[in-house]
Amino acid sequence: MKELQRITYVEDEPHIREIVQLALEELGGFTLHVCESGPEALDTAPIFHPDLVLLDVMMPGMNGIQTFRSLKDMPEMSETPIIFVTAKAQKHEIQQYKSLGAADVIAKPFNPITLPADIQAIWAKTQNDRHH
Amino acid sequence: MREKLNLLLVKHCATIKNSVGLLGQHLQGIGQGSAASQQALEDAVALAHQLKGSSGTAGFQDICAAATALHDHLKALNARSGADRPEMQQVIGLYGVLDAAAREAHPQTSSLYLVTT
């Protein structure tokens, strides 16, 4: 299984960004590129080449769904797993996100300490699904 | 990591207190009918949503719960474009709970602080 190393993290709220960045880089050991908005993610992801994208849903301007669709339209990002992060995580909402093509959904508020392990578990599943 | 996280928690406590204060100001602007009142309500919904997410992620569960309760109530009022007197009394009560939780916030009350010590 290919190792998860590079993550693009998209989140507009600065305090959440700071804590998650600390957890993913120092606990998870990932190489992170942090974006404050959907447009920034679209500009930088094709250059950064993430293995996985962690994407907030509720963002001003271009929201997470719009960002997701635009990322998936890029040839270099079409196969990259994208995980939504959202407070709107009722069962029917999670189904909607997955039917769009999301790898999974992480509900807010989440525990940043367990986030690296949660992401690794989702990554392992995406890799497993890819090979079967 | 422990020191860096602790510094973030100290910073976040200050932000929580400021944000709750600002939320209180927005709530004072809510009444019935006027455009300014509607804007105050929308601003309050947005700020409560932000507080809910950031405090929860930073491990301040009491604040997160209080912000969630207030946010849910404000969102329902926003959908009806205003609040009558009993509804505003309920908002004030919910804000009181949030304000009390925010006043008690310090890094040691975060669940993340316990994990890293």
Side-chain angles (χ1 to χ4, degrees):
Chain A
M1 182 176 82
K2 184 185 174 216
E3 191 186 343
L4 175 60
Q5 292 179 315
R6 301 168 72 80
I7 298 176
T8 287
Y9 173 46
V10 192
E11 167 63 64
D12 67 296
E13 217 296 302
H15 294 291
I16 297 178
R17 268 201 317 267
E18 286 174 340
I19 290 174
V20 170
Q21 182 171 5
L22 190 63
L24 292 183
E25 287 180 340
E26 304 226 357
L27 281 181
F30 301 119
T31 302
L32 208 65
H33 180 73
V34 183
C35 303
E36 299 180 16
S37 69
E40 187 183 345
L42 297 180
D43 285 342
T44 58
I47 303 165
F48 178 67
H49 298 296
D51 299 315
L52 178 145
V53 177
L54 197 60
L55 178 56
D56 184 28
V57 172
M58 298 287 286
M59 294 188 291
M62 181 180 267
N63 65 31
I65 306 289
Q66 294 164 328
T67 305
F68 177 93
R69 288 187 168 129
S70 296
L71 282 170
K72 285 296 185 183
D73 280 345
M74 298 179 173
E76 59 271 71
M77 295 295 298
S78 61
E79 297 298 311
T80 305
I82 300 178
I83 301 172
F84 280 122
V85 183
T86 178
K88 293 183 155 196
Q90 302 287 326
K91 208 169 179 178
H92 71 277
E93 287 162 325
I94 293 174
Q95 267 307 110
Q96 284 171 3
Y97 297 133
K98 285 190 173 177
S99 69
L100 276 178
D104 212 322
V105 180
I106 292 175
K108 274 184 177 178
F110 48 80
N111 184 338
I113 304 299
T114 61
L115 185 63
D118 294 339
I119 290 172
Q120 284 284 18
I122 296 168
W123 170 258
K125 188 173 182 308
T126 66
Q127 298 303 292
N128 198 42
D129 290 346
R130 187 165 287 188
H131 293 113
H132 287 92
Chain B
M1 162 137 177
R2 182 187 301 170
E3 281 179 18
K4 288 180 187 175
L5 183 56
N6 198 35
L7 281 171
L8 285 181
L9 293 176
V10 167
K11 189 170 136 182
H12 200 62
C13 284
T15 303
I16 284 172
K17 290 173 166 83
N18 289 339
S19 296
V20 171
L22 182 57
L23 181 51
Q25 289 173 29
H26 289 320
L27 295 180
Q28 283 175 3
I30 296 170
Q32 273 192 295
S34 72
S37 170
Q38 184 58 33
Q39 186 61 55
L41 181 50
E42 287 172 8
D43 290 343
V45 171
L47 191 46
H49 175 84
Q50 191 187 75
L51 263 169
K52 175 176 95 168
S54 60
S55 60
T57 304
F60 295 104
Q61 304 307 340
D62 289 351
I63 296 169
C64 178
T68 300
L70 181 57
H71 171 260
D72 290 350
H73 190 73
L74 289 172
K75 200 171 152 188
L77 296 181
N78 194 32
R80 298 202 303 271
S81 302
D84 60 26
R85 198 181 191 87
E87 286 165 338
M88 278 312 297
Q89 288 299 324
Q90 202 171 352
V91 166
I92 291 165
L94 290 170
Y95 176 75
V97 174
L98 174 61
D99 188 48
R103 286 174 194 275
E104 295 298 311
H106 51 85
Q108 291 89 332
T109 60
S110 165
S111 57
L112 299 186
Y113 184 86
L114 290 174
V115 166
T116 59
T117 52

